[in-house]
Amino acid sequence: MKTRDMNAEEQLLQLENDVDYSGAVRHRRMLSEPGASQITFNVATKGANNNRLITVDLEKETFAGYGGDSVFGEAIPFNRFAHIKKTVWHVLNETLKRHDSSSTVSNETSLVLPFLTLFYSYLFQHGIYHLEQTTREDLKTWLTEYIENNGWWSLLGYENVFNKLIEDAKDNPSLRLLIASEGRRKRGYFSFNRKGVSELIGLPLKGFTFGNIQEKIRTDLFPELEFEGGHRPGNNLAEKITRQKLYALFGKFNYCTCHLPGDVDQLGFIPFPDEMPLAKKMAKARTDERTENITPEYAVKLVTVAFDWVYNKSAGVIDLLNTARMAAEIEAPRDIRNKSKANRIRAEVSKRYLVIKDEYGFEWDNISLEKGNSSDVYSLSEMVKAVQYAAFNLIGINHGRRKNELIGEGDRPYGLYLGCVTSTNLEFDLKTIDVFIEKGLQDWKTFWCNKLVFDSIRVLEKIYQLLRPLNTPVIDYDSVEEEAREHKLLRIRALTDIDGWAETENWFATFRASTYDRDSRSFFEHIDLDNSFLSQKSHPNRRLFACLYYYRYEFAELLPLRDHLVHDNSLSTYTYVTDPDTRQLADSMQIAWKQEQEGLEKVMDEVQSEYFRDVLIQIIRGERVGGRWPRLISKRLITLSKDVDFLELDDREKATLLTKKMIRKGYKANPKSNGACFAGTNRRSAKLANCYSDEGLNPQDADPSTCHGCVHLFTNDNYLEVMGKELVELREKSKDFRLPISVRLKAEKQAEDLEIMIELERDMSEENQRYLAQNIENWTASGLCND
């Protein structure tokens, strides 16, 4: 049995076993024998007169093998586990051998322990205590999370570790003294002790700039001291996920975790055999290719399918699940084999499926209880998972939530739970959701939620209640909140295991927590049967949220997006959340939002840049687009076309280059129902805006009449379609005699004005198309539009 499968006591006994150090071939630069707690080696340049000895003290060097799924609660010295100590010695020995003749031998050996510190910290936090236990899937997960977190700092939760260190030091004076340099402290200055703190927390600090955190440490723990030479610079915590960065990191993996002598703990495979191709692919995936991964079209399809499963198909799935449950409750007490019970339940479900199949638009001729070997037969279990992950995506996209904040995989004590949504104000139909903030706060917080989220949770709750133990009453989750949180909604039950379903003692053991990368495929295959790549993404919801936000009016036919933006009217929501009765809730939301804002803003900025570029591509190609913004862009294009190198770029490259220039000048895409406004913060063109006043820009006044002819307005056929649908709604409203006459007259006037504006915008788009057609030759090398 491997240690990752053992309980805590067995793991510790196994991990602390001695290992055999015989048979090691020590390089001439290596001065210490295998097994030594202090590893000394010579890094002098070849041919130098003097030795240059480096000693690595494994009793002091630690790694952050605590938290997450680890059984450990504090930083672990490398010296504690013989198999790790042996690996460290051999990696250093191999590094000395590999770089013996190189002038970089000192630098290369200095990089070994920081890398092993980071990787061992990650493995232990995921319940993996030997390199040999690490699978290719584990490494794939690491790579995905590393890239999505912009490097080790966020991935390993450095900031949370520092916050805990500060709190612990407030209660422990001896710990407080280890954080600051003693010599500087005696002179009245605060100097952060990187080496000492690194050993305390088990994480390397070299390469990171974290002046804001140091300022917090000084303020909270040493308010009487000042920095010598002034304040520290701000934070620089995210790593640049470039091709060269990844290439170097893949190289570290390849020579620090494998190719070691046979009896040394190491990976059983070469982690990254194609270093440069993979580095190019993954680095590009962080920028341009990311749009191709989650395109607006894909996001729209995902929401449409999720909406269908939650609002249309879920009732049918719940009907079938209820049929299965009622049959199982009858069969469970029978003294027959479990397989026979399952067959009888399967027959009942199959019979009921044929009755409701057409009503709910199910496409399969028949279904089973569980997925079998035949891919032709769909199962009720897969239908349940499809509904669960349809709800997961609608909830996650609306709130930009992280995966495990909703699922709570493994033994995490958080995730969506019975009763996590409530109606707090019946008069205004206000609803809230209680979710755990996984990073930053690491606590439960309550947020407003829209009807789409509320309904999705209610569907999940109905499924959960049907999956509770057979012949037991409905779970009352209104009594004790802490108990309710134990009932995590995204749970999976084997519908063919009737005896397990009937188990009431320790029934959580037969009620498996959902696993995202495996169980979400039942939903994603309805969107992308061949790929289903989002089931392999750790945190897709922020990206999807950003895509839907920026491109929502480009997909006027998508009704779910209108529900998705139910709280888009910030003015009315503001009235509710600032009312004294709900002020405390608003305050807690503000605290949580501050913690989340930086990460979400970064994704939003990325997608707005992509949207900006897509708009420019339409203009560069001379498509039919409205507003005055295309005229302003054409002038910029004519200026850039004086550069021969620019002329040789294709349309996408031209748009990308111009996007960067325009964003640097302060322009920013702000899509509204009547068109996209690109005013941003550019002062030069601000006074030309139709909504400009002495107080500055007033984008809140945006409407078709105000924006028509504005230098910052962009429209296309999709926006005209949006306005066309609004026109239909206004006309219907003007003829609805259930409404007061004042409301109907106002709607009639709005309809008349909107109809005029639509025609004016359509005329302008045709005029722009002629204008662009005359000028395309100015910014293309051939005078023709590029492919």
Side-chain angles (χ1 to χ4, degrees), residues 521-569:
R521 290 180 181 273
S522 296
F523 169 72
F524 285 116
E525 67 183 16
H526 296 292
I527 304 165
D528 183 13
L529 183 61
D530 296 328
N531 196 352
S532 298
F533 68 88
L534 269 190
S535 65
Q536 302 303 307
K537 300 288 183 181
S538 294
H539 305 295
N541 290 328
R542 291 173 181 245
R543 186 71 178 185
L544 287 163
F545 173 88
C547 273
L548 293 174
Y549 179 86
Y550 271 100
Y551 290 90
R552 63 196 186 279
Y553 299 116
E554 298 280 4
F555 297 94
E557 76 285 356
L558 184 64
L559 291 179
L561 281 184
R562 298 175 64 184
D563 291 297
H564 171 78
L565 295 165
V566 127
H567 285 161
D568 198 35
N569 188 339

Side-chain angles (χ1 to χ4, degrees), residues 575-593:
T575 304
Y576 304 143
V577 300
T578 55
D579 184 85
D581 293 337
T582 56
R583 183 68 55 82
Q584 184 177 359
L585 174 61
D587 290 343
S588 68
M589 289 166 57
Q590 187 178 28
I591 294 170
W593 176 246

Side-chain angles (χ1 to χ4, degrees), residues 543-766:
R543 186 71 178 185
L544 287 163
F545 173 88
C547 273
L548 293 174
Y549 179 86
Y550 271 100
Y551 290 90
R552 63 196 186 279
Y553 299 116
E554 298 280 4
F555 297 94
E557 76 285 356
L558 184 64
L559 291 179
L561 281 184
R562 298 175 64 184
D563 291 297
H564 171 78
L565 295 165
V566 127
H567 285 161
D568 198 35
N569 188 339
S570 57
L571 189 61
S572 59
T573 305
Y574 178 81
T575 304
Y576 304 143
V577 300
T578 55
D579 184 85
D581 293 337
T582 56
R583 183 68 55 82
Q584 184 177 359
L585 174 61
D587 290 343
S588 68
M589 289 166 57
Q590 187 178 28
I591 294 170
W593 176 246
K594 284 180 179 178
Q595 298 286 338
E596 294 287 291
Q597 196 170 14
E598 184 177 348
L600 184 57
E601 280 186 351
K602 182 174 181 181
V603 176
M604 294 290 283
D605 286 345
E606 287 178 2
V607 179
Q608 89 87 17
S609 178
E610 293 163 6
Y611 179 77
F612 202 128
R613 181 203 59 207
D614 290 348
V615 166
L616 296 190
I617 289 175
Q618 295 176 56
I619 296 171
I620 289 171
R621 292 177 175 172
E623 297 179 11
R624 194 172 73 166
V625 290
R628 292 292 179 187
W629 179 248
R631 301 292 183 98
L632 188 149
I633 291 299
S634 68
K635 293 178 180 178
R636 297 290 189 278
L637 287 168
I638 292 172
T639 301
L640 287 171
S641 65
K642 296 176 182 178
D643 185 342
V644 176
D645 293 335
F646 178 79
L647 290 176
E648 293 179 353
L649 300 176
D650 62 27
D651 291 339
R652 187 183 184 87
E653 291 169 336
K654 286 186 176 77
T656 299
L657 177 64
L658 184 53
T659 296
K660 293 178 181 177
K661 290 180 177 294
M662 299 299 281
I663 289 177
R664 280 199 297 267
K665 290 179 179 294
Y667 293 106
K668 187 174 184 179
N670 184 15
K672 301 177 183 295
S673 61
N674 62 297
C677 173
F678 283 86
T681 58
N682 184 278
R683 296 182 180 180
R684 186 173 181 180
S685 63
K687 293 183 179 181
L688 301 176
N690 290 0
C691 65
Y692 182 80
S693 68
D694 292 338
E695 291 77 28
L697 294 172
N698 295 278
Q700 71 276 6
D701 296 335
D703 60 47
S705 298
T706 301
C707 296
H708 176 69
C710 180
V711 69
H712 300 121
L713 181 67
F714 169 86
T715 64
N716 57 20
D717 289 342
N718 290 327
Y719 282 108
L720 293 177
E721 184 181 350
V722 172
M723 289 189 282
K725 290 188 176 183
E726 290 181 0
L727 177 61
V728 172
E729 291 176 0
L730 286 170
R731 284 173 173 166
E732 291 175 351
K733 192 174 181 180
S734 69
K735 297 175 183 178
D736 188 349
F737 292 99
R738 295 171 298 179
L739 299 174
I741 188 170
S742 59
V743 175
R744 284 185 279 127
L745 289 173
K746 183 178 180 180
E748 184 178 4
K749 179 64 168 62
Q750 289 175 327
E752 291 174 356
D753 292 343
L754 183 58
E755 185 173 21
I756 294 171
M757 289 302 107
I758 290 174
E759 287 304 314
L760 289 174
E761 283 298 330
R762 186 172 284 114
D763 292 343
M764 181 169 287
S765 66
E766 292 174 354

Side-chain angles (χ1 to χ4, degrees), residues 30 59 230 348 720 756:
M30 177 61 73
E59 292 182 348
E348 290 297 316
L720 293 177
I756 294 171

